[in-house]
Amino acid sequence: MPGERLSIRDNSSVGRFHGVSASNGDAVPESNTESKTKKESGCRRWLRRACPCCFQRQNSSYDVTSDTDGVVARNGENEGPTSPVTPTGDTELDELTLAVRSVNLLSQKSDRNKKEHHTDQYFSDQLIIRRGQTFQMELDFSRPFNPNTDKLHLELKTGPLPQVSKKTHIIIPLVDELQDDCWEAKIVGQNVNQIRLSINSPVKAIIGKYKLTITTQCHKTGETTTHDPNKDVYMLFNPWCEDDTVYMESEKELKEYVLNDTGRIYYGTELQIGARTWNFGQFDEGILEACLFVLDNSEVPPSGRGDPVNVVRVISAMINSPDDRGVLEGNWSGNYVGGTSPTAWSGSIEILRQYHKEGGTPVKYGQCWVFSGVTTTVLRCLGIPCRSVTNFQSAHDTDVSLTTDVYFDEDMQPIHHLNSDSVWNFHVWNDCWMARPDLPPGMGGWQAVDSTPQETSHGTFRCGPASLAAIRSGQVYLKFDTPFVFAEVNSDKIYWQRNPDGTFSQVHSEKKAVGHCISTKAVGSDERVDITNLYKYPEGSEEERIAVETACRYGSKPDVYSSPIAEDVRVEVRMEGEGPLMGGDAKLMIVLKNTSSQPRRTTLHSQAAVMYYTGVLRDTVKKDTLNVELKPQEEKVIEWVLPYTQYQNQLVDQAALMMTLSGRVSETQQVLANQTSFRLRTPDLKIEPIGEAYVGKEMSAKITFTNPLPCTLRNVVIRVEGLGLRDLHPIKVGDVSKHGNVTVTEHFIPTIAGQRKLVASLDCKQLTQVHGVADIDVHESQ
């Protein structure tokens, strides 16, 4: 039954035709019915002997399908069992060449192959199966198949140059009993001219598209025929199979990480976590073909596609485009002329379809959440459990030090040209699930993979798969790209001050600066779940400190932890509620705490700069200097305000800003340093479905939006889409006046019953990350 875990083979559930023995290889009993024949001409008799296929009274293009009673039907008509061919007494006629008339791959959504292989959601009538599990097909011959005198084998070929030695040319023999982990076929049913085969595939079979042919031979005549049914077989990874390296035990997790075609992607800051719905659409029309096209375009030979580690590494490289003309072109400039703004995408479907349709031209444009969303689509489509993951305060280590380094001059002013390391407000990548036989035991399970082009790995922009178990324990010497991911989630932030002789001294460190609120969508709901504990031990614990120091011993600054630094004054930045709104003044609180029994004085420098979400600063919008005196054990709160007029024309995507605080305590010479990023919150698009939803019946949804800015928004476009509801539809709204309201009504016809999501996003240069979602319960047509 669909949803039940399958053993590799289930002999108890094989389909049989009426009147057929359970054993394989028994000859079909011949009918005793007497044949009435007419005298034939010599030419006609020769044709009957030479080509029985052409001589058949009915044409040979029928597809054979079977119902639960084992009765064969042609062209949708139930004709009942076909009578056996009656012996004529002519030895030559009885030994005529055996030919295949038609092949039924049992590939409809309702057929057992797709249900048992969990592929019935794919929008395709092709046979889509998962490796390591039996599948069935039916063959219709020109005469009854006799196992004692006839031979049969199948061939599957994949790739441009199939080779048996590379396991891209598969020869499947007919056997009496199926064995484990090899290609073979067995007869499990026979009815006159038709037989049903059960075919087994190994758990390490290469995934991809195979071309099928069937070869038959009559032992007595030696005649051989090969039938090409012009049908493809698609082979995928099998997370339901215990022997596949992508095996996942939990049915609930399989439903979420393989079969769920929508999800949530998180963004913003750790104090202002935003969420948006993403249409993965891995089962949509043309997506499987597009995903295999991505693999084909990688120039990695098909022989390497049986290993999920290798496939994930290839996909990580191919989703971006700097060095291999992959799926997406990244753009963090803010200028998206000639393409689509990254914030305007709501799903992967149009991106993959466009890439496939245009023959491999990168789609413009993507940023980290788009790269991640497309990666989730491709890996789930191919059968690898996958999820999108967001890391808040995500470090980008550029010198393999495994620390995030900030450099100041003698006056404690930032040295911008040296500050190449950065901390992104958030960064989105992926986790995929698999065993890691290439690593020491215990390193399997979730693996981090990042398709956003940041740093090269062995000369190519890609990252992972890196074991989360290795990241958590600081074992950064294990492949692939574990040091980079470790630095993203658990590097310490080290502050350096330039000395008069040009050298640098460590003056301060933050041990909890990066890797906060690592988030993904919960299994079975739209709630956010925090998975930080999978990436690192609790901050400040002995295990976490050991992991950090272990990792840094393999970095470019192994002696960074040689001397501890004492502190008795702390500085932090706090935010009220969910933080400041776009269009108003931004207010934050600077908090200084003196933990000593002596008074303390400090001069505190504050600087606010507009920032790309990647941590790259653009322009400074405000600078201040504060002289602060603290009594023993005193905590002082200072209000800091950034007026709207100072940032209104400076913002970039994500509306992010960075506040940098630095200073020195006069009595102890302790250095104070803190960097805090925050974003200006944007409004949501409100979507209100109108009326009940039924398959095939037009319905509407009202979409409303209020401009939060005291200025006019230009060339506003609202993009609407929903799996099973409608394809992507851009609605040109035009200009929206300051604080103005917009209402549009979208009409569409649902095509799939069940819980669906209608997603909308606003595309506008002055305002980004505005989106909304509505749940719609679609009923079957009345």
Side-chain angles (χ1 to χ4, degrees):
M1 293 294 291
E4 294 180 353
R5 184 168 309 286
L6 297 174
S7 63
I8 295 178
R9 278 186 298 277
D10 186 2
N11 287 328
S12 66
S13 63
V14 297
R16 298 192 181 100
F17 294 92
H18 287 311
V20 177
S21 167
S23 64
N24 181 39
D26 292 342
V28 181
E30 295 183 343
S31 168
N32 292 323
T33 305
E34 201 172 279
S35 168
K36 295 183 179 179
T37 59
K38 296 180 180 179
K39 189 173 182 180
E40 297 176 306
S41 68
C43 291
R44 185 174 177 82
R45 181 172 177 145
W46 177 88
L47 176 62
R48 171 136 70 168
R49 293 177 181 175
C51 189
C53 303
C54 299
F55 190 78
Q56 291 291 326
R57 179 173 54 84
Q58 296 180 338
N59 109 19
S60 61
S61 63
Y62 301 131
D63 284 336
V64 180
T65 60
S66 67
D67 60 19
T68 55
D69 295 326
V71 178
V72 176
R74 293 187 177 92
N75 291 343
E77 297 179 4
N78 189 342
E79 299 181 347
T82 304
S83 298
V85 175
T86 305
T88 64
D90 188 322
T91 304
E92 290 182 280
L93 289 179
D94 291 342
E95 295 177 356
L96 282 174
T97 301
L98 179 72
V100 177
R101 293 195 302 182
S102 64
V103 178
N104 181 10
L105 296 182
L106 304 175
S107 59
Q108 300 300 310
K109 289 182 181 296
S110 59
D111 287 330
R112 61 178 295 171
N113 281 335
K114 284 196 171 176
K115 289 186 176 296
E116 292 181 356
H117 287 252
H118 302 88
T119 59
D120 52 321
Q121 294 186 55
Y122 286 88
F123 191 95
S124 173
D125 288 333
Q126 300 281 4
L127 178 58
I128 305 171
I129 54 177
R130 300 186 186 275
R131 65 186 192 175
Q133 186 175 330
T134 56
F135 61 98
Q136 295 193 356
M137 68 174 64
E138 293 174 353
L139 307 182
D140 181 24
F141 294 108
S142 56
R143 61 168 173 80
F145 180 86
N146 188 336
N148 298 320
T149 59
D150 297 325
K151 292 183 179 180
L152 164 72
H153 74 264
L154 312 179
E155 294 188 40
L156 292 172
K157 298 179 181 180
T158 186
L161 188 61
Q163 294 177 272
V164 173
S165 61
K166 300 289 187 181
K167 299 182 180 180
T168 54
H169 180 184
I170 311 298
I171 300 174
I172 307 175
L174 192 63
V175 297
D176 290 337
E177 292 298 332
L178 298 176
Q179 303 296 320
D180 285 337
D181 203 28
C182 59
W183 286 102
E184 54 196 3
K186 173 186 175 181
I187 298 175
V188 294
Q190 186 160 359
N191 184 21
V192 194
N193 289 12
Q194 293 82 34
I195 67 170
R196 177 178 290 201
L197 296 178
S198 181
I199 301 154
N200 187 43
S201 64
V203 293
K204 294 184 179 180
I206 291 168
I207 62 119
K209 182 169 71 172
Y210 288 82
K211 186 73 175 175
L212 169 69
T213 57
I214 300 116
T215 299
T216 57
Q217 182 182 33
C218 179
H219 177 69
K220 291 185 178 181
T221 65
E223 294 291 335
T224 299
T225 63
T226 299
H227 179 72
D228 179 358
N230 196 28
K231 294 180 180 180
D232 296 321
V233 176
Y234 291 82
M235 180 69 73
L236 306 178
F237 291 106
N238 193 352
W240 282 269
C241 176
E242 293 185 11
D243 295 322
D244 199 317
T245 48
V246 300
Y247 170 68
M248 177 174 268
E249 184 176 7
S250 167
E251 285 290 348
K252 291 182 178 179
E253 291 185 339
L254 284 164
K255 186 175 180 180
E256 181 67 50
Y257 298 131
V258 180
L259 300 181
N260 197 350
D261 56 7
T262 62
R264 304 276 275 176
I265 295 179
Y266 299 93
Y267 65 95
T269 69
E270 60 178 306
L271 299 177
Q272 303 165 282
I273 295 176
R276 63 180 305 163
T277 298
W278 193 266
N279 287 329
F280 298 123
Q282 67 268 30
F283 306 120
D284 225 59
E285 184 175 7
I287 297 303
L288 176 57
E289 290 80 1
C291 293
L292 294 176
F293 175 75
V294 172
L295 281 176
D296 292 339
N297 226 24
S298 70
E299 299 182 359
V300 173
S303 57
R305 297 178 190 172
D307 181 3
V309 173
N310 190 42
V311 169
V312 164
R313 195 146 170 80
V314 169
I315 294 300
S316 171
M318 284 301 300
I319 299 301
N320 65 67
S321 64
D323 44 24
D324 48 22
R325 288 180 58 79
V327 176
L328 275 164
E329 181 177 328
N331 187 339
W332 286 264
S333 71
N335 179 7
Y336 307 119
V337 174
T340 299
S341 167
T343 59
W345 298 113
S346 294
S348 311
I349 299 170
E350 294 302 321
I351 295 171
L352 286 167
R353 282 179 180 167
Q354 181 179 330
Y355 181 73
H356 189 197
K357 179 181 178 181
E358 297 183 1
T361 300
V363 178
K364 302 177 179 180
Y365 293 104
Q367 291 180 11
C368 70
W369 63 92
V370 188
F371 288 109
S372 173
V374 174
T375 299
T376 300
T377 298
V378 174
L379 294 186
R380 287 187 184 181
C381 184
L382 297 179
I384 300 176
C386 184
R387 63 190 182 188
S388 289
V389 172
T390 302
N391 178 37
F392 293 93
Q393 295 298 103
S394 186
H396 182 172
D397 175 26
T398 58
D399 61 358
V400 202
S401 65
L402 282 79
T403 57
T404 304
D405 301 302
V406 183
Y407 294 93
F408 293 93
D409 63 16
E410 295 85 347
D411 299 322
M412 289 303 293
Q413 296 297 316
I415 306 175
H416 295 298
H417 71 276
L418 292 182
N419 290 331
S420 56
D421 287 356
S422 60
V423 178
W424 298 28
N425 276 357
F426 70 95
H427 181 46
V428 189
W429 61 73
N430 297 86
D431 285 344
C432 60
W433 181 272
M434 65 184 68
R436 289 298 300 270
D438 57 322
L439 298 181
M443 295 297 140
W446 288 116
Q447 315 285 316
V449 55
D450 193 346
S451 300
T452 301
Q454 297 178 89
E455 301 291 331
T456 59
S457 172
H458 296 102
T460 301
F461 281 102
R462 59 187 168 186
C463 181
S467 167
L468 264 61
I471 295 164
R472 192 171 193 250
S473 59
Q475 295 175 271
V476 296
Y477 46 84
L478 297 176
K479 59 186 181 183
F480 290 94
D481 309 310
T482 309
F484 185 81
V485 184
F486 178 91
E488 288 182 302
V489 300
N490 206 14
S491 59
D492 286 351
K493 199 170 191 177
I494 309 296
Y495 294 81
W496 304 86
Q497 184 178 21
R498 188 167 59 196
N499 300 316
D501 62 359
T503 60
F504 286 85
S505 298
Q506 180 181 340
V507 295
H508 180 62
S509 67
E510 290 185 75
K511 295 180 173 60
K512 303 178 182 180
V514 305
H516 300 167
C517 303
I518 303 176
S519 303
T520 192
K521 177 187 172 298
V523 172
S525 78
D526 284 339
E527 298 301 312
R528 182 184 71 88
V529 60
D530 192 305
I531 58 170
T532 307
N533 65 304
L534 299 183
Y535 277 86
K536 59 183 180 180
Y537 292 101
E539 288 281 13
S541 67
E542 184 177 6
E543 296 96 330
E544 187 263 347
R545 285 292 90 197
I546 291 172
V548 171
E549 294 176 18
T550 298
C552 286
R553 283 202 296 269
Y554 295 91
S556 59
K557 296 175 182 175
D559 301 323
V560 71
Y561 294 100
S562 56
S563 58
I565 301 171
E567 296 178 345
D568 58 16
V569 176
R570 297 200 303 263
V571 61
E572 63 175 315
V573 176
R574 295 176 185 169
M575 191 180 304
E576 289 186 352
E578 295 182 351
L581 290 168
M582 172 73 76
D585 295 346
K587 296 180 181 180
L588 303 175
M589 302 295 175
I590 301 172
V591 182
L592 290 123
K593 171 72 174 179
N594 178 11
T595 62
S596 76
S597 59
Q598 302 295 323
R600 295 288 184 252
R601 292 176 298 142
T602 182
T603 299
L604 196 64
H605 307 281
S606 69
Q607 174 179 298
V610 172
M611 182 180 69
Y612 294 97
Y613 82 95
T614 58
V616 176
L617 301 179
R618 184 185 179 190
D619 297 316
T620 300
V621 293
K622 183 179 180 180
K623 277 187 176 183
D624 280 321
T625 300
L626 303 171
N627 294 312
V628 183
E629 295 186 3
L630 297 170
K631 297 175 183 179
Q633 302 297 321
E634 180 184 10
E635 180 178 279
K636 185 167 287 188
V637 180
I638 304 167
E639 185 178 74
W640 179 90
V641 179
L642 176 63
Y644 170 74
T645 53
Q646 288 187 240
Y647 72 75
Q648 63 176 334
N649 297 320
Q650 304 293 327
L651 294 179
V652 293
D653 286 352
Q654 309 295 326
L657 296 106
M658 167 74 80
M659 175 189 278
T660 301
L661 299 175
S662 61
R664 190 183 298 275
V665 178
S666 301
E667 291 80 2
T668 62
Q669 299 302 298
Q670 175 195 344
V671 172
L672 301 177
N674 177 277
Q675 288 186 317
T676 300
S677 59
F678 62 98
R679 70 181 179 95
L680 302 168
R681 290 189 295 121
T682 54
D684 293 329
L685 290 177
K686 295 180 180 179
I687 306 176
E688 180 185 351
I690 301 173
E692 294 290 319
Y694 293 90
V695 172
K697 181 180 178 181
E698 182 177 290
M699 71 168 297
S700 303
K702 184 169 67 174
I703 304 170
T704 58
F705 162 72
T706 300
N707 177 10
L709 302 183
C711 64
T712 300
L713 301 179
R714 305 291 183 187
N715 302 316
V716 174
V717 176
I718 295 177
R719 298 159 60 94
V720 186
E721 64 178 305
L723 296 177
L725 297 175
R726 73 153 306 115
D727 290 337
L728 178 65
H729 179 216
I731 304 171
K732 294 183 179 180
V733 176
D735 296 346
V736 180
S737 62
K738 63 180 182 179
H739 302 303
N741 296 315
V742 171
T743 300
V744 298
T745 301
E746 177 72 349
H747 302 278
F748 53 93
I749 300 175
T751 58
I752 301 176
Q755 287 288 335
R756 317 307 300 172
K757 293 181 183 294
L758 187 67
V759 182
S761 63
L762 184 138
D763 190 2
C764 171
K765 185 173 180 59
Q766 299 106 310
L767 193 61
T768 62
Q769 284 291 23
V770 177
H771 43 79
V773 61
D775 292 316
I776 298 178
D777 187 8
V778 181
H779 306 286
E780 293 287 358
S781 56
Q782 293 179 320

